[in-house]
Amino acid sequence: MEYYPAPGRNHLFVPGPTNVPEPILRAMNRSNEDHRSPAFPKLSKSCIDDVKQIFRTTTATSFIFPTTGTGAWESALTNTLSPGDKIISFRLGQFSLLWIDQMQRFNFDVDVIDCEWGAGADLELLKQKLQADRSHSVKAVCVVHNETSTGVTNDIGAVRRILDAAHHPALLLVDGVSSIGAIDFRMDDWKVDVALTGSQKALSLPTGLGIVCASPKALEAAKHSKSTRVFFDWGDYLKFYKAGSYWPYTPSSQMLYGLRASLDMILNEEGLDNVIARHCRLAEATRQAVRAWGLTLCTKKPEWKSDTVTAVVVPSWIDSNEIVKIAYKKYNLSLGVGLNKIAGKVFRIGHLGNVNELQLLGALAGVELALMEVGYPVTLGSGVAAAQAHLAKQTPLIKSRM
Ligand SMILES: Cc1ncc(COP(=O)(O)O)c(C=O)c1O
């Protein structure tokens, strides 16, 4: 095992897993403890209660599973739906594709709306389908809020307005894995029935927690759902919630201490609105850099731009994997590769989680060096300068140093 793989810090600019900041690492650096002790429920309850704030919900019930985003998907689907139930979902990138694949493997009847990769959800088609569904055969609409593979953010408020205008009772299930806690997400305002995220994204924790929030309507649906579920069954958790001991099986106490520290940092120290504003600022600086390099975004229209990941299209004579490889091998900079049908055509800059202005500028400088090395005619410093110009105007004083 090599303990000193490269000098200096690793520049982790993939769109998750993200940097784990020192306070979280310190909070997690402890031995195992008895999760059935009289003291443990205090930590459990505070995490279960406070995590709801990053979803902006006071009405939902939260579940913290020892899993990843993929497990959280499974939990959302199997608790609310029965095999054969009709779902409408959009396939517009790798993660929406994988979620749909999971739905099909669970034998749900998925009406897939295929959209161009780089485009947002086709809401006009959704409107037509819901208005035509007079018998209410559609039981759920499933949307990925932020498609991490293409840098596309969908308008969940607009999806809700379409459901309401059609007086359609379908459940609204939303994947917020690369958005919740970083991009504005309003579970209660948008009447989202199930929203989910993973610990390794905006929360800046290690991978290992899948966090699911269920509305009262989703909890009611869970009473009638006939899907087989064991590990992800909300019912088991609810029994333990009633008993005040919270976990049907052994939780990772270290991850819960980490989550507590992450929530303290996001909600109390920086403040969720400031966290969201920081993501917005860093994302816009990144987009300005891409423009200055003369490159384009995978995201087709500004209304779909993502504030957590920027997917950059390279000219056809360049293999984007080469850019990612050089950045990693020479500059200790991790960028995201293009996935599936945009492999080789796109690379991704993640600006998600606990990351600041100067870290981003370092990453952009590294991207310029890698672009130069693959033969792209980049003017060194051009993207960095464009990003700096934006950040100089937009960056506030650090909250704790005002
Ligand atoms: C939007 C989205 N959904 C789901 C997932 C799957 O999450 P995990 O890899 O934690 O299972 C990812 C992973 O990157 C993602 O970006």
Side-chain angles (χ1 to χ4, degrees):
M1 185 68 201
E2 205 178 351
Y3 290 102
Y4 184 63
R9 296 202 78 110
N10 169 240
H11 303 274
L12 189 56
F13 279 81
V14 294
T18 58
N19 293 291
V20 183
E22 290 295 331
I24 292 183
L25 289 173
R26 282 197 296 274
M28 295 183 63
N29 186 8
R30 53 180 78 223
S31 186
N32 285 332
E33 67 181 83
D34 173 13
H35 65 290
R36 302 287 175 217
S37 80
F40 204 73
K42 191 169 166 225
L43 171 68
S44 306
K45 185 164 179 354
S46 87
C47 288
I48 290 165
D49 286 346
D50 292 352
V51 80
K52 291 194 269 187
Q53 292 182 44
I54 65 160
F55 291 70
R56 295 206 205 265
T57 178
T58 54
T59 58
T61 301
S62 60
F63 303 96
I64 302 174
F65 293 101
T67 186
T68 71
T70 306
W73 280 343
E74 188 166 329
S75 170
L77 297 173
T78 57
N79 279 281
T80 55
L81 299 165
S82 302
D85 275 358
K86 191 162 173 188
I87 298 174
I88 296 181
S89 198
F90 304 91
R91 186 161 48 200
L92 39 81
Q94 181 64 6
F95 295 100
S96 44
L97 177 151
L98 289 173
W99 198 15
I100 286 170
D101 176 59
Q102 189 185 76
M103 293 167 204
Q104 290 169 334
R105 285 156 75 177
F106 275 119
N107 294 320
F108 299 119
D109 172 13
V110 194
D111 180 357
V112 179
I113 303 182
D114 268 305
C115 309
E116 195 185 354
W117 285 35
D122 185 340
L123 299 184
E124 194 43 50
L125 206 47
L126 176 69
K127 192 167 157 186
Q128 287 168 20
K129 283 177 186 283
L130 290 177
Q131 280 175 353
D133 182 34
R134 298 260 151 70
S135 64
H136 296 163
S137 66
V138 175
K139 299 300 174 210
V141 175
C142 297
V143 192
V144 173
H145 184 209
N146 187 73
E147 176 48 77
T148 323
S149 62
T150 55
V152 161
T153 302
N154 288 302
D155 184 347
I156 305 300
V159 175
R160 167 47 64 199
R161 287 191 292 279
I162 290 168
L163 279 158
D164 285 355
H167 302 290
H168 202 294
L171 295 165
L172 176 56
L173 274 45
V174 180
D175 167 332
V177 171
S178 59
S179 63
I180 290 173
I183 295 174
D184 195 25
F185 189 87
R186 300 181 173 269
M187 181 164 186
D188 283 358
D189 289 355
W190 299 336
K191 291 183 274 169
V192 173
D193 292 299
V194 186
L196 58 97
T197 190
S199 51
Q200 77 276 22
K201 305 278 189 180
L203 288 164
S204 294
L205 287 162
T207 313
L209 299 178
I211 302 164
V212 179
C213 280
S215 73
K217 186 172 155 188
L219 289 184
E220 190 53 37
K223 292 182 191 158
H224 312 288
S225 145
K226 294 188 177 56
S227 294
T228 301
R229 52 192 190 270
V230 180
F231 188 77
F232 294 119
D233 195 337
W234 297 346
D236 291 340
Y237 273 75
L238 291 173
K239 276 184 218 147
F240 278 80
Y241 285 6
K242 251 195 201 141
S245 72
Y246 300 106
W247 308 103
Y249 31 67
T250 317
S252 161
S253 52
Q254 290 83 356
M255 285 295 281
L256 290 176
Y257 281 106
L259 176 59
R260 186 60 263 165
S262 170
L263 293 173
D264 287 340
M265 289 172 74
I266 292 174
L267 300 173
N268 305 331
E269 288 170 19
E270 190 173 359
L272 183 57
D273 289 336
N274 294 331
V275 170
I276 290 168
R278 172 167 53 78
H279 282 85
C280 186
R281 182 164 73 241
L282 298 185
E284 186 52 38
T286 307
R287 289 188 288 266
Q288 301 275 349
V290 173
R291 212 163 295 142
W293 296 329
L295 292 171
T296 54
L297 302 180
C298 180
T299 319
K300 303 284 175 203
K301 283 189 191 166
E303 71 200 67
W304 296 317
K305 65 184 191 294
S306 164
D307 282 349
T308 56
V309 53
T310 299
V312 185
V313 179
V314 299
S316 56
W317 50 272
I318 292 175
D319 175 0
S320 63
N321 290 316
E322 283 305 307
I323 297 169
V324 177
K325 206 184 288 171
I326 290 163
Y328 182 73
K329 289 195 168 186
K330 237 179 168 175
Y331 301 110
N332 201 8
L333 165 64
S334 292
L335 300 167
V337 292
L339 298 170
N340 198 333
K341 56 167 121 165
I342 49 176
K345 299 177 180 162
V346 154
F347 70 91
R348 293 172 299 149
I349 307 171
H351 25 79
L352 168 59
N354 192 268
V355 64
N356 68 20
E357 287 74 13
L358 297 190
Q359 284 173 290
L360 178 73
L361 291 171
L364 296 175
V367 173
E368 291 182 356
L369 289 164
L371 283 171
M372 187 180 73
E373 197 143 329
V374 296
Y376 181 75
V378 63
T379 304
L380 289 182
S382 59
V384 172
Q388 280 174 318
H390 179 74
L391 294 172
K393 279 188 278 175
Q394 298 294 327
T395 309
L397 293 177
I398 296 163
K399 194 175 157 204
S400 60
R401 297 182 184 174
M402 283 179 180

